[in-house]
Amino acid sequence: MYRAFGLLSPDTDFNLDESLARMTEKFPGFTVARDGDRINVSKGEWWISLAVVAGAHIQKETEGLIGHLAGVEPAEAEALVASDRRVEVWTDVPDPFMEHFNDYLFVVEVLKSFTGLLAVDPNEPGVL
């Protein structure tokens, strides 16, 4: 089970259409599909999803995460806290032998290809 957040600054170039295109290119042989504000990447019984989540609670949660991250410049932290949107990545499929760990890393790599997006691990607050 993997999780990641893409913290979005207000001036990010992240969008779901481009994310879908980049995921499709990154995952040949996988099914990559968009369903509203969600993109699903799957192969066989394994899947991972990403979705844009918005709301006032995002700012408070981001502020809490930023406080635990090393190496984030004050101006970047301020911009990230100003946003009420983020990208959430998750799968609930157990992966005891880490067969899909690289797939998870590829999703994070696609997120990191957007400017104005900081990929973090919400479970062990750290920059990915």
Side-chain angles (χ1 to χ4, degrees), residues 53-127:
V53 179
H57 68 285
I58 299 296
Q59 289 173 307
K60 291 182 191 253
E61 291 174 6
T62 299
E63 188 174 334
L65 276 172
I66 292 291
H68 297 291
L69 300 177
V72 178
E73 296 294 325
E76 181 182 19
E78 195 173 306
L80 293 169
V81 171
S83 178
D84 66 349
R85 298 183 321 133
R86 74 173 170 229
V87 180
E88 296 185 3
V89 175
W90 76 96
T91 182
D92 294 325
V93 180
D95 190 20
F97 302 109
M98 298 183 69
E99 296 170 275
H100 295 285
F101 184 69
N102 280 342
D103 298 328
Y104 162 72
L105 292 178
F106 288 153
V107 171
V108 171
E109 185 178 305
V110 168
L111 287 181
K112 291 169 61 173
S113 70
F114 289 95
T115 58
L117 186 149
L118 180 67
V120 300
D121 180 340
N123 298 322
E124 298 288 330
V127 176

